[in-house]
């Protein structure tokens, strides 16, 4: 029954193309061919869809906007099948077309697609920048809903943005506020981190993992990385306010046991992710923030030595 319906619909599309070829111009013919390619994509005929898109794309009569729509169609196919080669190739092609004069709407649609692609590649800095750029002009419901887009973008921002920027650019953004009711766990995680309510933060982080990270086809592979980075961020934020504090008070702040905090901190300190020392006998965590000024001084001296060596070499060559 499904095959019969698909065959009938394909016949109707072929008929429409034949009519456009006889009675209309090149623009209508191209649009009819694009509809045919979209139909192949909708029924899961990926190879036929790509071939149909490519055939229209290579026509000399295809307009710039039609070419961009075709590339977006191929990008959606690539994202659906999660084919990195196709996605990267079509993003590069889309940039070339947009630089030739793509309109405002299609530029923003490309930014939204790139934002999600960067999320899937764990490139959260690039994803957060694109998210902020296209948040107020998001118009890609064919990619995902506004709430889903905000969820992915906000999670990317949570990893890389400063606490002040999260409040200003994410939590207080009107577009984010409008959809936060649909993703309450994300809002609770960001707000509790900003307000330094670490016990609530841990609960919200667990909810984010189960409700969003585990069910997102773009973030599922990075769920462990995300939860680890967010825990490190929360620990570092608390430790930044103190020269030292007890393991007991830190465990109470996060709503966990002292054994758990001790295990977590030991692992992250050994990996060089947290700058502190654990006094197990005294039950105290002592911070030892890196001396940034001294590091900058040493780096400047090193770069100066390299520059002097190059000047001396150049002087020797000139004197010869």
């Amino acid at each position: 029954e499904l095959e019969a319906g698909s065959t009938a619909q394909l016949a109707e599309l072929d008929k429409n193309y034949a009519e456009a070829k006889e009675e209309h111009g090149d623009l209508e013919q191209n649009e009819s061919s694009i509809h045919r390619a979209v139909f192949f994509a909708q029924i899961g005929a990926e190879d036929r869809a790509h071939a149909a898109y490519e055939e229209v794309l290579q026509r000399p009569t295809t307009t710039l906007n039609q070419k961009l729509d075709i590339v977006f169609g191929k990008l959606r196919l690539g994202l659906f099948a999660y084919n990195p080669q196709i996605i990267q190739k079509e993003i590069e092609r889309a940039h070339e077309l947009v630089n030739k004069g793509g309109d405002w709407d299609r530029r923003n649609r490309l930014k939204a697609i790139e934002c999600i692609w960067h999320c899937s590649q764990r490139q959260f800095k690039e994803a957060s920048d694109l998210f902020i750029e296209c948040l107020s002009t998001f118009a890609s419901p064919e990619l995902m809903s506004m709430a889903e887009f905000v969820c992915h973008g906000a999670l990317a921002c949570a990893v890389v943005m400063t606490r002040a920027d999260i409040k200003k650019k994410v939590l207080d953004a009107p577009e984010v506020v409008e959809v936060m009711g649909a993703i309450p766990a994300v809002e609770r995680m960001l707000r509790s981190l900003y307000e330094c309510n670490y016990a609530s933060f841990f609960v919200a982080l667990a909810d984010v993992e189960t409700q969003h990270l585990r069910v997102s086809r773009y973030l599922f592979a990075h769920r462990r990385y995300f939860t680890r980075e967010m825990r490190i961020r929360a620990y570092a934020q608390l430790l930044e306010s103190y020269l030292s504090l007890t393991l007991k008070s830190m465990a109470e702040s996060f709503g966990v046991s002292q054994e758990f905090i001790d295990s977590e901190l030991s692992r992250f300190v050994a990996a060089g992710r947290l700058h502190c020392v654990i006094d197990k006998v005294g039950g105290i965590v002592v911070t030892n923030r890196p001396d940034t000024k001294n590091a900058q001084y040493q780096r400047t001296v090193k770069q100066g030595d390299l520059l002097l060596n190059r000047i001396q070499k150049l002087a020797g060559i000139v004197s010869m």
Side-chain angles (χ1 to χ4, degrees):
E1 185 179 342
L2 287 173
E3 289 183 3
S6 297
T7 302
Q9 194 168 349
L10 182 58
E12 182 68 22
L13 289 168
D14 289 338
K15 179 183 175 182
N16 292 341
Y17 175 72
E19 290 177 357
K21 196 171 183 179
E22 292 177 5
E23 303 174 9
H24 301 288
D26 294 331
L27 186 66
E28 290 77 9
Q29 292 177 40
N30 293 338
E31 286 294 337
S32 181
S33 297
I34 292 172
H35 291 157
R36 189 169 180 272
V38 169
F39 171 72
F40 286 136
Q42 289 173 339
I43 64 172
E46 184 182 351
D47 293 338
R48 296 179 72 182
H50 277 299
Y53 275 132
E54 202 64 37
E55 190 272 328
V56 186
L57 191 63
Q58 300 304 324
R59 293 178 188 174
T61 57
T62 306
T63 66
L64 179 62
N65 284 338
Q66 285 178 332
K67 287 181 179 180
L68 277 166
D69 289 339
I70 290 168
V71 171
F72 290 149
K74 289 170 71 66
L75 270 170
R76 288 194 296 275
L77 269 175
L79 285 169
F80 179 77
Y82 202 77
N83 189 321
Q85 289 78 17
I86 289 178
I87 296 168
Q88 198 59 51
K89 174 186 172 184
E90 298 305 329
I91 284 177
E92 291 171 3
R93 182 185 276 180
H95 273 292
E96 291 176 5
L97 293 171
V98 161
N99 291 335
K100 291 179 181 178
D103 62 22
W104 171 83
D105 174 66
R106 289 174 174 82
R107 286 176 184 271
N108 283 304
R109 285 165 62 190
L110 177 58
K111 287 179 182 179
I113 293 172
E114 280 193 281
C115 172
I116 299 304
W117 172 240
H118 284 307
C119 283
S120 73
Q121 298 300 294
R122 201 188 285 180
Q123 297 166 343
F124 293 128
K125 179 65 173 70
E126 294 85 349
S128 64
D129 291 340
L130 288 166
F131 171 69
I132 297 302
E133 283 182 33
C134 66
L135 176 61
S136 60
T137 54
F138 177 78
S140 302
E142 74 283 356
L143 178 65
M144 59 178 55
S145 69
M146 180 65 172
E148 289 178 303
F149 182 69
V150 168
C151 175
H152 285 75
L155 293 178
C157 292
V159 178
V160 298
M161 276 191 177
T162 64
R163 184 164 159 258
D165 281 343
I166 288 175
K167 179 72 165 71
K168 179 181 177 181
K169 298 181 179 180
V170 181
L171 286 172
D172 289 347
E175 297 81 11
V176 175
V177 172
E178 187 177 347
V179 300
M180 273 303 187
I183 47 174
V186 175
E187 181 187 18
R188 283 189 284 110
M189 184 193 75
L190 294 176
R191 198 168 295 282
S192 58
L193 181 66
Y194 176 75
E195 295 175 351
C196 303
N197 189 344
Y198 300 112
S200 296
F201 168 78
F202 258 26
V203 175
L205 180 60
D207 289 340
V208 166
E209 182 182 8
T210 55
Q211 297 174 20
H212 299 292
L213 297 177
R214 286 183 176 274
V215 298
S216 168
R217 65 196 310 267
Y218 304 112
L219 295 175
F220 176 79
H222 312 303
R223 65 194 186 284
R224 293 183 184 276
Y225 171 84
F226 180 86
T227 54
R228 182 177 67 248
E229 290 302 308
M230 293 307 295
R231 296 201 310 276
I232 290 172
R233 175 164 195 169
Y235 295 144
Q237 184 171 294
L238 176 62
L239 291 169
E240 191 177 359
S241 304
Y242 300 93
L243 289 174
S244 66
L245 72 165
T246 63
L247 281 170
K248 180 180 178 182
S249 66
M250 193 169 181
E252 288 174 350
S253 296
F254 284 95
V256 295
S257 66
Q258 292 186 49
E259 291 75 14
F260 178 83
I261 281 290
D262 183 30
S263 173
E264 286 269 280
L265 292 183
S266 299
R267 193 154 52 92
F268 295 140
V269 169
R273 300 301 309 278
L274 290 175
H275 303 288
C276 62
V277 177
I278 303 171
D279 180 355
K280 184 69 173 177
V281 177
I284 297 173
V285 180
V286 181
T287 60
N288 56 349
R289 300 180 185 85
D291 188 348
T292 55
K293 286 187 179 296
N294 186 53
Q296 288 174 352
Y297 172 76
Q298 294 295 338
R299 187 164 56 249
T300 302
V301 170
K302 186 176 180 180
Q303 290 172 346
D305 288 340
L306 289 172
L307 180 60
L308 287 172
N309 288 335
R310 289 175 181 173
I311 292 173
Q312 288 173 354
K313 288 179 181 179
L314 182 60
I317 293 171
V318 171
S319 62
M320 291 171 64

